[in-house]
Amino acid sequence: MSKKIFNIQYILALVAALSFIGCAKDNGAPRRATENMDLGNKAMMQAYIATVNASRNAIYVDGALTSGAVIASGGVFPTASTAYAFALTSGLHTFQVRDTLRTATQVPLTFPVDVMPQKNYTVFLYDTISTPKQKVVETKINTTDDGMARIRIANFVYSKVDLPGIDIYSAVQKQNIATNVKITDVTEFIPYPANVVDTFTVRLTGTTTDLVNTGTGTNQFIRVILTPRAKRHYTFVFRGSYTSTASTAAQTRMFSSFINY
């Protein structure tokens, strides 16, 4: 009798299992989790680290680690190899940037960011690890296919004393493409000829001499060498400690670029 009961239970279990498998099929394809492809209520965000001496920064949004790998001064998240920006739902968010090392001396920076749907933003982290600061600006992408690139200038060099603004000089154009950009200023994008290699250097406003660091090596010259591509948007950033002119120092004055779009 017990053997018959066992056989009946076995058959019922087998039928239930086959029924479950049949329900899980959809024309032979396995089910997938529903994907939300609607970006209508999303904003796009980039983060750039200009903080002097930052070495292991991580970015948290609403308490969740967002940046993944740690970022040092001069780094951008996301990197162009993965994506140009990460998505945020529109509205108010809490950002925190901090060093991942438990014994780090960097002061954590927590700040609110309010974003609008279908807009692009960049948050610049700057100053020093003992007095970190931030500035969020809208990144106004122009998708017009006019054969031009777009360039903007951001000045986040660190200085204990007031400095004049900076001019950015183009070797190809033989003129300044931006003038009197003060510390923490971020200019609007300007159209720029594409597909021509150019060298962009930094000058103090009103001067005709390129800034350089002392010593030798790739960091001696404060410049960006770039071949802008059509429809691409680039941000050039002047960063580092203004008084640190040694080309091998961790605080070296630097001029670099990253892609926004």
Side-chain angles (χ1 to χ4, degrees), residues 45-51 57 59 93-97 107-114 121-128 131-137 156 184 186:
M45 175 70 72
Q46 284 180 302
Y48 183 88
I49 308 292
T51 313
N57 280 194
I59 299 170
H93 296 272
T94 299
F95 275 59
Q96 185 180 69
V97 180
V107 176
L109 178 63
T110 303
F111 54 97
V113 176
D114 195 5
Y121 299 88
T122 306
V123 54
F124 292 92
L125 292 310
Y126 68 100
D127 212 283
T128 68
T131 56
K133 297 179 176 63
Q134 58 79 27
K135 182 173 185 176
V136 178
V137 299
F156 287 100
T184 75
V186 181

Side-chain angles (χ1 to χ4, degrees), residues 38-209:
D38 181 16
L39 295 179
N41 70 332
K42 304 288 186 180
M44 305 304 292
M45 175 70 72
Q46 284 180 302
Y48 183 88
I49 308 292
T51 313
V52 175
N53 280 336
S55 57
R56 295 170 300 271
N57 280 194
I59 299 170
Y60 297 79
V61 180
D62 300 327
L65 176 62
T66 302
S67 57
V70 295
I71 314 168
S73 183
V76 61
F77 173 76
T79 60
S81 60
T82 56
Y84 293 121
F86 61 94
L88 290 173
T89 55
S90 60
L92 189 64
H93 296 272
T94 299
F95 275 59
Q96 185 180 69
V97 180
R98 67 174 187 260
D99 194 300
T100 57
L101 187 65
R102 186 180 300 243
T103 57
T105 58
Q106 180 172 337
V107 176
L109 178 63
T110 303
F111 54 97
V113 176
D114 195 5
V115 296
M116 300 291 290
Q118 300 186 36
K119 289 193 175 184
N120 293 269
Y121 299 88
T122 306
V123 54
F124 292 92
L125 292 310
Y126 68 100
D127 212 283
T128 68
I129 59 174
S130 57
T131 56
K133 297 179 176 63
Q134 58 79 27
K135 182 173 185 176
V136 178
V137 299
E138 185 179 351
T139 302
K140 297 179 181 178
I141 303 299
N142 187 325
T143 58
T144 303
D145 189 5
D146 57 4
M148 304 289 280
R150 297 291 191 279
I151 292 174
R152 70 177 177 181
I153 310 300
N155 184 358
F156 287 100
V157 74
Y158 170 73
S159 176
K160 293 182 179 180
V161 299
D162 289 338
L163 290 175
I166 57 171
D167 298 342
I168 305 304
Y169 182 80
S170 158
V172 171
Q173 301 290 326
K174 299 188 184 304
Q175 63 181 1
N176 294 327
I177 65 166
T179 59
N180 199 26
V181 183
K182 302 288 190 179
I183 294 176
T184 75
D185 280 354
V186 181
T187 70
E188 298 293 341
F189 286 102
I190 61 169
Y192 205 77
N195 303 320
V196 177
V197 62
D198 202 345
T199 300
F200 304 89
T201 52
V202 181
R203 300 175 172 182
L204 292 181
T205 295
T207 71
T208 57
T209 304

